[in-house]
């Protein structure tokens, strides 16, 4: 049985690129995914990052949905501590009314930024402690359940937008299992707890009306190209750029050369950062398909959400197409 594929688009802004170009590219990526076998495309909420343009997932979903026809679109995810459940229900309820049967709502409790971001967003760091209750409240609003205070999400009530719990630790696994919701693990950048989290989720899952069985989505980095060596060179460049962004702090920080980054990657700290991308494959479409199949079995995943990490926008689109074609013809 072919691997079920989806796509996480980080709306990456390359060095010297613009957010406008990145958002236009998101439409191209979604269309490429729609043309092959991808089930969905998700966008992650990040704030204050010069390299990512997906700070407003609901707006980006609306834009991409208007330029595609059938593929499911959603958040991977909305950082719920920054928002009230009513606001999220109204936003994604509006999307569901505009694009019936095509909208997902992935939810995370990570800050999506540092303490300065919390202050700029007027958010309370303690809101993360209310995440479980806020998920329940949001689910009730989307279901149209009667509330004592009479509050109703309009649009939103009755749309029953599918919810997914995102995580990179055991907290999300326990919560998704307790609520009977699908669980998406961020193994594309934080793979350390993958096996334990999936085991906790599957072993303690409580069936719900909408989801009688557990459902696991796991993240995986991909670069596919017709030339395998070229794909591996692109992966090495993407990894260097990720490390460069992690170690560069402030405008006065030095601009590290590629050779300096490679030297750093051989250090203990560098190897820890490199391990963040250990769930990755770069090569020909056939090589990538084999890696995806092996990872799906290893992770006990029902679906693999791929992050196409090439720095060049056209190469990312080609990677999406080649991977989708290889998997769909398996």
């Amino acid at each position: 049985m072919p691997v079920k594929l989806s796509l996480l688009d980080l709306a990456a802004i390359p060095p010297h690129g613009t957010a406008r170009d990145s958002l236009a590219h998101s439409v191209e990526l979604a269309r490429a995914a729609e043309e092959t076998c991808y089930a969905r495309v998700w966008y992650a909420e990040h704030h204050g990052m010069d390299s990512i343009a997906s700070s407003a997932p609901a707006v980006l979903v609306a834009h991409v949905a208007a330029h595609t026809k059938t593929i499911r679109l959603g958040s991977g995810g909305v950082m719920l501590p920054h928002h009230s459940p009513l606001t999220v229900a109204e936003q994604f309820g509006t999307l569901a009314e505009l694009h019936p049967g095509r909208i997902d709502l992935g939810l995370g409790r990570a800050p999506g930024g540092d303490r300065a971001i919390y202050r700029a967003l007027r958010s309370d760091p303690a809101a993360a402690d209310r995440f479980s209750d806020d998920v329940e409240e949001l689910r009730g609003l989307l279901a149209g359940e009667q509330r004592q205070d009479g509050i109703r999400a309009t649009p939103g009530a009755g749309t029953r937008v599918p919810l997914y719990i995102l995580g990179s630790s055991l907290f999300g696994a326990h919560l998704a299992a307790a609520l009977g919701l699908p669980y998406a693990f961020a193994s594309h950048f934080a793979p350390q707890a993958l096996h334990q989290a999936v085991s906790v989720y599957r072993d303690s899952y409580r069936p719900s009306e909408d989801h009688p069985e557990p459902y696991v989505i796991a993240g995986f980095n991909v670069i596919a190209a017709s030339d395998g060596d070229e794909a591996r060179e692109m992966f090495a460049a993407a990894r260097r750029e990720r490390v460069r962004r992690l170690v560069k702090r402030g405008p006065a920080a030095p601009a590290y050369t590629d050779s300096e980054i490679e030297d750093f990657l051989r250090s203990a700290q560098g190897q820890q950062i490199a391990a963040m991308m250990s769930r990755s494959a770069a090569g020909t479409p056939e090589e990538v398909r084999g890696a995806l199949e092996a990872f799906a079995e290893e992770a006990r995943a029902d679906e693999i959400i791929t992050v196409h990490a090439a720095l060049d926008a056209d190469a990312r689109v080609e990677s999406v197409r080649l991977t989708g074609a290889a998997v769909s013809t398996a």
Side-chain angles (χ1 to χ4, degrees):
M1 181 177 179
V3 175
K4 186 172 183 180
L5 279 188
S6 53
L7 172 65
L8 176 63
D9 177 10
L10 297 177
I13 305 174
H16 313 298
T18 67
R20 176 179 294 181
D21 291 342
S22 174
L23 297 173
H25 172 61
S26 288
V27 173
E28 292 183 47
L29 271 181
R31 284 174 169 168
E34 186 174 61
E35 290 167 2
T36 52
C37 65
Y38 292 79
R40 67 189 90 247
V41 182
W42 281 0
Y43 307 95
E45 179 182 351
H46 291 277
H47 297 283
M49 299 181 69
D50 293 340
S51 59
I52 295 179
S54 56
S55 57
V59 179
L60 187 49
V61 167
H63 176 67
V64 176
H67 291 82
T68 52
K69 296 178 181 179
T70 58
I71 195 162
R72 297 191 68 88
L73 301 163
S75 61
V78 163
M79 298 300 108
L80 194 52
H82 292 316
H83 313 276
S84 74
L86 177 61
T87 297
V88 177
E90 290 173 340
Q91 290 176 349
F92 280 79
T94 299
L95 289 168
E97 295 289 2
L98 290 169
H99 306 283
R102 295 183 60 196
I103 304 301
D104 298 331
L105 177 49
L107 300 167
R109 66 167 186 152
D114 56 19
R115 290 183 178 273
I117 290 297
Y118 263 111
R119 291 193 294 270
L121 292 171
R122 307 297 191 268
S123 294
D124 177 8
D129 298 333
R130 302 191 298 270
F131 182 70
S132 302
D133 292 337
D134 285 350
V135 172
E136 289 272 49
E137 182 179 347
L138 176 55
R139 181 156 68 170
L141 286 164
L142 292 170
E145 295 174 0
Q146 183 64 41
R147 292 167 51 114
Q148 290 183 345
D149 58 13
I151 297 297
R152 183 177 175 85
T154 306
T159 58
R160 303 184 74 91
V161 175
L163 301 184
Y164 298 76
I165 300 297
L166 278 57
S168 57
S169 69
L170 302 188
F171 175 87
H174 282 292
L175 179 62
L179 298 181
L181 291 173
Y183 179 51
F185 190 88
S187 40
H188 61 290
F189 74 88
Q192 293 83 355
L194 170 64
H195 295 139
Q196 188 178 6
V198 171
S199 293
V200 164
Y201 171 69
R202 289 194 176 279
D203 293 345
S204 59
Y205 188 78
R206 299 178 185 174
S208 62
E209 179 182 352
D210 293 332
H211 304 284
E213 299 291 335
Y215 192 86
V216 173
I217 303 174
F220 196 76
N221 299 291
V222 168
I223 297 181
S226 55
D227 185 314
D229 289 336
E230 181 182 355
R232 286 180 279 274
E233 289 175 5
M234 287 191 286
F235 177 79
R239 187 174 66 173
R240 286 194 298 267
E241 185 59 28
R242 178 178 287 194
V243 173
R244 186 175 283 113
R245 293 184 185 279
L246 287 172
V247 299
K248 182 178 173 62
R249 290 290 184 268
Y256 296 101
T257 66
D258 285 354
S259 61
E260 288 172 328
I261 293 295
E262 291 294 345
D263 288 341
F264 174 75
L265 280 167
R266 285 187 281 272
S267 70
Q269 184 181 1
Q271 289 175 17
Q272 289 179 343
I273 294 177
M276 295 170 62
M277 295 182 71
S278 63
R279 296 304 192 266
S280 303
T284 64
E286 292 74 21
E287 290 171 329
V288 166
R289 183 186 68 208
L292 287 168
E293 291 171 347
F295 176 67
E297 183 175 355
E298 172 206 344
R300 300 168 63 196
D302 301 287
E303 179 176 330
I304 305 301
I305 188 161
T306 55
V307 181
H308 293 259
L311 298 178
D312 179 74
D314 291 338
R316 287 199 295 275
V317 172
E318 183 68 1
S319 180
V320 167
R321 288 197 173 110
L322 291 173
T323 301
V327 169
S328 64
T329 57

